[in-house]
Amino acid sequence: MEQKEIYLLIISASVTSLVFSISLVTLFILYQKRKDYYRKEITKTRIEIKEQTLKNISWEIHDNIGQILSTLNLYSYKVLEDSPNELKPKVEELQDLTQTAITEVRSLSKALNTDYIKNVGLIKSLELELARFERLKFMETQLTVEGKPFIIPDDKELVLLRIIQEFFSNSIKYARATKMEISFVFQGRDLNIKVRDNGVGYDSTVVMGTGIINMKNRAKLIGAFLILDSEIKKGTQLEIKYRKKNIDNVA
């Protein structure tokens, strides 16, 4: 075989190997993109199912439990009229408790109802949630907003709210927090949200529970960056960095 033919054979083999390598890399990239797409779709579907479940629970709470408590409240007025004087203070106390229960049931129903949240917006929904914590004496709360708020699409506002609510839930159930501070900082197209409690904290290098995983997955779904920082006996801080995209101009 002549030297020229050998060179051509080497070049041909090299080109074939290069094309094969490029094809493999391309297929791998396409596979990863498709895998990420399906993962996002699965996460999105799970969230949609969960939101519909919460909406159904909200309706049941409002229509059934709320109605039962309202009927009980009406009956209490009749009981008050027929009660001897020494029992009237007790019946009035029962009326106050029933009215408080009605207020809290309605508040909880609103917090779970997707349609209501979309109507009033993210910040107002948080204000109502924090007011409920104050009424129930769960914790002291503080909410601050800096900068000029911009419009965030309803579906993304809902995701941000659910992430923060997950943090609230963990703080109440596990951290035994007595204070909660929330700040919204709007700057141009950027929104920085910080939520901090004064709870018992945890070792962030070890703990990775379902709640934390859910928060991270939700953040990825809307292209937000989520940071959780915690120290034992010093509390936990959640930080969410969200950037408004041009497509978000239409809410």
Side-chain angles (χ1 to χ4, degrees):
M1 183 180 294
E2 295 182 4
Q3 190 173 7
K4 184 177 180 180
E5 291 177 340
I6 294 174
Y7 286 152
L8 287 174
L9 184 61
I10 292 172
I11 292 172
S12 177
S14 299
V15 170
T16 302
S17 298
L18 180 62
V19 171
F20 181 71
S21 299
I22 292 173
S23 299
L24 282 179
V25 172
T26 302
L27 286 173
F28 179 76
I29 292 172
L30 289 174
Y31 168 76
Q32 286 297 118
K33 286 184 177 180
R34 184 64 63 177
K35 182 180 177 182
D36 291 340
Y37 170 78
Y38 283 125
R39 184 184 290 120
K40 284 185 178 181
E41 286 300 308
I42 291 171
T43 301
K44 184 178 179 181
T45 301
R46 286 176 177 170
I47 290 174
E48 288 174 352
I49 293 172
K50 186 175 181 179
E51 288 300 331
Q52 186 59 50
T53 302
L54 291 175
K55 186 186 290 187
N56 293 339
I57 293 172
S58 170
W59 290 337
E60 290 297 322
I61 289 174
H62 183 274
D63 295 343
N64 294 333
I65 300 177
Q67 187 60 43
I68 291 171
L69 289 172
S70 296
T71 302
L72 178 62
N73 195 38
L74 288 174
Y75 281 148
S76 69
Y77 285 99
K78 178 61 177 174
V79 173
L80 182 64
E81 291 178 1
D82 298 338
S83 297
N85 290 334
E86 62 270 18
L87 288 180
K88 288 187 185 298
K90 293 292 183 182
V91 177
E92 289 173 347
E93 183 178 349
L94 176 62
Q95 285 180 323
D96 291 339
L97 290 172
T98 304
Q99 190 58 53
T100 299
I102 291 172
T103 300
E104 295 308 323
V105 162
R106 288 174 178 170
S107 179
L108 179 60
S109 175
K110 291 175 181 178
L112 296 175
N113 192 309
T114 303
D115 295 333
Y116 179 83
I117 293 167
K118 289 181 178 180
N119 185 48
V120 302
L122 173 61
I123 294 177
K124 181 62 177 178
S125 296
L126 283 174
E127 287 176 347
L128 293 171
E129 188 105 353
L130 296 178
R132 186 164 65 89
F133 291 163
E134 294 274 2
R135 285 197 307 272
L136 295 173
K137 302 187 185 306
F138 282 165
M139 61 179 71
E140 297 177 17
T141 65
Q142 181 180 0
L143 172 63
T144 59
V145 180
E146 299 179 21
K148 183 180 180 181
F150 51 73
I151 295 174
I152 302 173
D154 291 342
D155 57 337
K156 294 184 178 180
E157 273 201 323
L158 183 60
V159 170
L160 290 172
L161 177 64
R162 294 309 186 204
I163 292 173
I164 297 171
Q165 285 178 326
E166 184 77 45
F167 184 87
F168 287 165
S169 177
N170 290 339
S171 293
I172 293 171
K173 287 192 296 185
Y174 307 119
R176 300 193 294 276
T178 58
K179 291 183 180 180
M180 184 76 68
E181 297 177 355
I182 308 172
S183 69
F184 280 71
V185 179
F186 292 88
Q187 188 172 16
R189 294 192 298 128
D190 294 322
L191 168 60
N192 191 27
I193 304 172
K194 288 185 180 179
V195 189
R196 183 171 184 82
D197 68 31
N198 67 338
V200 296
Y202 63 89
D203 186 348
S204 55
T205 62
V206 176
V207 178
M208 190 66 170
T210 304
I212 295 175
I213 294 172
N214 287 340
M215 286 190 282
K216 289 182 178 292
N217 286 338
R218 286 177 182 270
K220 286 181 182 178
L221 195 63
I222 62 171
F225 186 62
L226 185 148
I227 304 170
L228 269 170
D229 184 33
S230 185
E231 290 186 59
I232 295 175
K233 296 183 180 180
K234 291 187 178 181
T236 304
Q237 177 173 285
L238 165 69
E239 183 174 6
I240 307 171
K241 296 182 179 181
Y242 171 80
R243 166 159 282 199
K244 177 182 178 182
K245 299 175 178 59
N246 291 331
I247 195 172
D248 293 343
N249 288 332
V250 179

